[in-house]
Amino acid sequence: MHPPANVAPLRISHINEGNLIRRVQPAYPPLARSARIQGAVILQAVISRQGAIENLKVLSGHPMLAPAAIDAVRQWRYRPYILNNEPVEVETLITVNFSLAGN
């Protein structure tokens, strides 16, 4: 028996990093780097049945860093999350850290 098509995605607070098959590092925005701005950008996303990132939203983080985080995470790919032998959409939080250490 299949669930109705309009069922909300599962909410998962932490997706296993092993399920991340393509990770694109964000480019540090030059203006943010020169202003010495660093910190975390927290994004909310839905991982589709195919493992693509959808419905990406910024929950918190510096406005100068958020666009770079979105551009990078939009390109990430995950292995599909399987529940009852079926791929399902999963809602999750993703944290992207920007640090000037070593740069």
Side-chain angles (χ1 to χ4, degrees):
M1 190 163 161
H2 295 288
N6 62 354
V7 169
L10 284 177
R11 283 201 163 95
I12 307 268
S13 59
H14 179 71
I15 296 289
N16 184 336
E17 284 289 316
N19 287 341
L20 181 58
I21 54 177
R22 180 171 187 241
R23 179 185 198 123
V24 175
Q25 286 299 111
Y28 214 116
L31 198 54
R33 183 188 300 276
S34 63
R36 311 290 299 163
I37 294 167
Q38 54 187 348
V41 176
I42 300 175
L43 305 171
Q44 180 180 351
V46 170
I47 299 171
S48 75
R49 290 180 180 90
Q50 294 76 35
I53 295 288
E54 297 178 347
N55 300 336
L56 200 52
K57 290 188 274 197
V58 176
L59 297 183
S60 68
H62 196 285
M64 289 177 86
L65 300 174
I70 287 172
D71 288 346
V73 171
R74 191 174 278 139
Q75 301 173 66
W76 290 13
R77 292 297 175 267
Y78 286 84
R79 281 191 192 90
Y81 190 82
I82 305 297
L83 181 68
N84 299 327
N85 296 319
E86 295 282 333
V88 293
E89 286 187 339
V90 176
E91 186 177 281
T92 191
L93 299 180
I94 297 170
T95 302
V96 179
N97 291 305
F98 289 85
S99 174
L100 293 168
N103 289 330

